[in-house]
Amino acid sequence: DAKTTQPPSMDCAEGRAANLPCNHSTISGNEYVYWYRQIHSQGPQYIIHGLKNNETNEMASLIITEDRKSSTLILPHATLRDTAVYYCIVRVGRGRGGSQGNLIFGKGTKLSVKP
Amino acid sequence: DADVTQTPRNRITKTGKRIMLECSQTKGHDRMYWYRQDPGLGLRLIYYSFDVKDINKGEISDGYSVSRQAQAKFSLSLESAIPNQTALYFCATSDPPGAFGAFFGQGTRLTVV
């Protein structure tokens, strides 16, 4: 699975949009981009995923560049409860054996939402 | 009831003791994972299983073993616990990639003294 690069930390003002970038320049055609977040020491929570089209759900929007080498997670109106570590992961879309389809986490981005 | 349940939630054990952490899920997923998390670090994959007969080592499997007793149960064992295995351990389950994301348990905080 391709590796990802994220900034270690970001700040955002409450009520503003939080834009979290992720680089995945070695992504291959069958790899999805997934985002998770971890609040304090709780289990990570799935946010959103996409292959090549932009995606939106009730939690966030995911913008994937046309060349798929980077993506941005957007929290449109950040709240204090969005303070967490956000992980960007790329993951093979098929395959069962070996490491295909593994969930490999990096260190993520620590987002601090400030009043 | 939680989709992914880990037991125990907290455990203190002595160096050299054998300990088992258990994970059960009600999602019906084939794929299950064990991770450890150390303070200030991300999650590191210990073992993963894509079905009952398919178990694989992850990034940091030394000192650990696993057992997939059934589709819904995946246990992690420390055969002889050592202090640097003190960490927060998470179990997760998922569908194949492309479907919904993974579901994580609430974690087991293990302290080896």
Side-chain angles (χ1 to χ4, degrees):
Chain A
D1 294 325
K3 292 188 176 180
T4 63
T5 304
Q6 299 176 252
S9 64
M10 292 182 63
D11 291 340
C12 178
E14 187 178 20
R16 303 297 294 270
N19 297 283
L20 292 93
C22 179
N23 286 317
H24 30 80
S25 58
T26 60
I27 194 170
S28 58
N30 64 347
E31 288 183 311
Y32 288 76
V33 180
Y34 279 78
W35 283 83
Y36 291 81
R37 73 180 183 183
Q38 186 177 25
I39 297 173
H40 195 46
S41 294
Q42 297 177 20
Q45 175 191 23
Y46 165 81
I47 301 173
I48 199 167
H49 75 283
L51 183 61
K52 49 186 172 183
N53 297 322
N54 297 337
E55 302 287 346
T56 295
N57 63 20
E58 65 279 4
M59 291 182 68
S61 295
L62 174 60
I63 308 298
I64 302 174
T65 58
E66 192 170 343
D67 64 6
R68 302 205 329 119
K69 293 183 184 298
S70 66
S71 60
T72 300
L73 178 75
I74 300 173
L75 309 178
H77 304 287
T79 71
L80 299 178
R81 288 175 294 180
D82 292 321
T83 292
V85 178
Y86 288 78
Y87 297 98
C88 167
I89 299 166
V90 291
R91 194 176 175 211
V92 173
R94 290 289 182 271
R96 293 174 62 82
S99 64
Q100 289 182 332
N102 251 341
L103 279 175
I104 301 293
F105 286 76
K107 295 184 179 179
T109 295
K110 181 174 175 55
L111 175 68
S112 298
V113 180
K114 300 181 183 301
Chain B
D1 287 342
D3 296 320
V4 182
T5 301
Q6 293 184 230
T7 55
R9 292 292 310 278
N10 290 281
R11 180 74 180 266
I12 300 174
T13 192
K14 293 184 177 180
T15 297
K17 293 290 187 182
R18 183 179 188 275
I19 182 170
M20 179 182 289
L21 309 183
E22 299 187 353
C23 176
S24 62
Q25 51 113 346
T26 59
K27 300 297 295 181
H29 292 160
D30 285 330
R31 297 172 179 228
M32 298 188 73
Y33 311 78
W34 273 104
Y35 294 87
R36 70 175 276 175
Q37 186 171 36
D38 297 282
L41 301 180
L43 285 82
R44 291 185 290 169
L45 183 63
I46 306 172
Y47 270 95
Y48 60 101
S49 170
F50 286 174
D51 65 37
V52 175
K53 296 181 181 179
D54 182 6
I55 293 178
N56 303 278
K57 293 182 177 181
E59 303 168 277
I60 52 162
S61 59
D62 287 348
Y64 301 95
S65 62
V66 291
S67 173
R68 185 82 184 265
Q69 302 95 323
Q71 185 203 38
K73 295 184 184 294
F74 193 36
S75 300
L76 175 72
S77 293
L78 287 66
E79 297 300 326
S80 179
I82 57 177
N84 76 0
Q85 291 177 312
T86 293
L88 186 56
Y89 290 84
F90 289 103
C91 173
T93 75
S94 76
D95 276 330
F100 202 64
F103 291 81
F104 282 78
Q106 287 304 301
T108 295
R109 188 169 295 280
L110 176 66
T111 303
V112 183
V113 297

